Amino acid sequence: MERRSLLRAAVLGGTSAALGGTLWRGAAYAAPAQPGTGPYGPLGSPDANGIRLPSGFTSRVIARSGQRVGSTSYTWHNAPDGGACYADGTGWIYVSNSEINPSGGASAVKFSSTGAITGAYRILSNTRQNCAGGKTPWNTWLSCEEVSLGYVYETDPWGTNAAVQRAAMGRFKHEAAAADPVRKVIYLTEDETNGRFYRFVPTTWGNLSSGKLQVMVAGSATSGSFTWTDVPDPDGSPTATRSQVSGSKSFNGGEGCHYANDTVWFTTKGDNRVWQLNLLTNTYELAYDDSLVNGTAPLTGVDNITGASSGDLFVAEDGGNMEICVITPDDVVASFLRVDGQSGSEITGPAFSPDGTRLYFSSQRGTTGSSSGGITYEVTGPFRS
């Protein structure tokens, strides 16, 4: 689905408004939607889990750090972060990273066709500060270390095969990954104030043991054309990967990354932006920038990002007021949910079940503000298809 630039969108006094024409700076604009609305309507009062949801949606707690998951014997990890869902027969699996250092890693929860929890287990151990990652078309989970000279680990959501370190994908402060099956590459973000945006081109698609790490080369503007250039030394030592290619474009704190329909979106937390790359034309632009909507947008502290079959983007907040916000193909930015009473935390790991009816996410530090207080949730309801 084609998505227009959100430089034409604004949020005025908490009310979503899609503008026709240029960016609002006192110019005429279309009549806004009702206060607090978006495609799902206004948020209701906090439910029993402290989550404000639109009408028709419900939440439940899936797991808590340091406690057993459902009726299983498995203890959920601390600081749950990036995640993804995988079809498993008539059921599915949700995987989740653990952003602690040392002993980060990742875990998984299995669900039956009815959504009942049927198992939980570890899929990656003895790694460092596993933040975000990404799902591959061959149904593995790429778990990324958010540390200097960090690695990407390819893991098995079923826990059958041992995790494998993928050194060819570069050593840097990894954040997220997104697979592009058309161009047969993996896009990668870097969580540095002067980080870069990369892609990994495997020698053989489906095998990440070897290939070329490339970096995006573009000007300093917020839109334009771009190219890719090989990173000479992907191991990042003695020269950091972000410093090896002249003209590579700097991004302020790369975070989440999502691919769909010849487009890749990624977030940068340092300037609260969502970037959009059109892979057919090799051009880039801002998809969202709250400074250009006078700082009144509901979305602040952009972090993990995922997409729905409707073309909607769901962006989790690190900070702000603990919301997941939706950005629609019609340029509406609105709150989808809010977690109350957890201001010392952040929202992580949004991912949809294979049928698109359930959204999983975590509050990384929960009500305690500590990594041992993480809570993983499920939201069920009439998501747009």
Side-chain angles (χ1 to χ4, degrees):
M1 179 180 295
E2 183 179 356
R3 178 181 294 274
R4 302 191 311 276
S5 169
L6 286 178
L7 297 183
R8 296 192 298 275
V11 179
L12 308 175
T15 301
S16 300
L19 307 189
T22 57
L23 174 69
W24 181 76
R25 292 190 185 278
Y29 59 92
Q34 293 301 308
T37 64
Y40 295 104
L43 302 184
S45 300
D47 65 10
N49 298 315
I51 299 179
R52 297 178 182 265
L53 292 162
S55 177
F57 289 85
T58 59
S59 76
R60 67 166 170 159
V61 173
I62 296 302
R64 294 179 183 271
S65 296
Q67 298 184 22
R68 292 182 177 180
V69 179
S71 60
T72 74
S73 61
Y74 184 73
T75 300
W76 198 235
H77 55 257
N78 288 347
D81 207 286
C85 283
Y86 299 79
D88 179 45
T90 58
W92 60 92
I93 295 169
Y94 176 67
V95 300
S96 169
N97 280 343
S98 175
E99 195 188 12
I100 59 174
N101 188 7
S103 303
S107 303
V109 182
K110 292 187 75 169
F111 299 88
S112 71
S113 60
T114 63
I117 295 172
T118 60
Y121 44 90
R122 173 71 58 158
I123 62 172
L124 177 65
S125 300
N126 302 318
T127 53
R128 304 170 296 162
Q129 203 158 322
N130 297 78
C131 196
K135 179 180 179 179
T136 69
W138 49 94
N139 287 324
T140 58
W141 168 244
L142 302 179
S143 184
C144 298
E145 289 185 314
E146 189 196 0
V147 295
S148 178
L149 298 179
Y151 287 102
V152 174
Y153 288 83
E154 187 170 13
T155 68
D156 176 12
W158 286 263
T160 301
N161 300 311
V164 180
Q165 186 184 92
R166 296 303 190 191
M169 299 183 76
R171 297 193 65 187
F172 52 88
K173 200 172 183 180
H174 283 277
E175 182 70 30
D180 176 353
V182 177
R183 279 144 288 271
K184 298 181 178 180
V185 301
I186 308 288
Y187 302 103
L188 301 161
T189 57
E190 181 179 26
D191 192 0
E192 299 276 7
T193 56
N194 61 340
R196 300 300 195 262
F197 189 68
Y198 304 90
R199 73 175 187 179
F200 179 68
V201 186
T203 303
T204 302
W205 184 237
N207 183 343
L208 303 179
S209 62
S210 66
K212 296 185 295 185
L213 181 68
Q214 299 181 328
V215 66
M216 178 179 167
V217 174
S220 60
T222 55
S223 64
S225 61
F226 67 88
T227 58
W228 301 100
T229 298
D230 291 353
V231 175
D233 190 9
D235 71 2
S237 180
T239 304
T241 55
R242 64 185 180 277
S243 302
Q244 292 182 25
V245 175
S246 176
S248 59
K249 187 170 179 59
S250 177
F251 293 98
N252 191 351
E255 290 285 338
C257 192
H258 175 69
Y259 168 87
N261 301 324
D262 298 309
T263 305
V264 62
W265 293 270
F266 64 96
T267 62
T268 50
K269 66 183 180 184
D271 46 19
N272 207 47
R273 288 171 166 172
V274 181
W275 298 84
Q276 172 182 324
L277 273 61
N278 183 324
L279 301 167
L280 294 177
T281 61
N282 287 329
T283 57
Y284 70 95
E285 64 179 313
L286 285 175
Y288 172 81
D289 182 357
D290 73 345
S291 70
L292 297 179
V293 290
N294 303 311
T296 56
L299 176 58
T300 57
V302 299
D303 202 310
N304 291 172
I305 185 171
T306 193
S309 59
S310 60
D312 294 331
L313 298 175
F314 286 75
V315 187
E317 290 186 340
D318 179 355
N321 54 355
M322 286 289 289
E323 291 186 340
I324 293 179
C325 291
V326 61
I327 303 176
T328 75
D330 297 323
D331 291 355
V332 174
V333 184
S335 303
F336 170 71
L337 67 77
R338 182 185 307 153
V339 181
D340 279 5
Q342 300 186 30
S343 60
S345 186
E346 63 185 270
I347 292 181
T348 59
F352 282 95
S353 60
D355 67 359
T357 64
R358 302 168 191 251
L359 175 66
Y360 295 91
F361 71 94
S362 294
S363 169
Q364 190 180 77
R365 296 178 293 278
T367 59
T368 68
S370 166
S371 62
S372 61
I375 309 170
T376 299
Y377 299 95
E378 173 194 84
V379 167
T380 304
F383 289 100
R384 304 200 302 172
S385 59

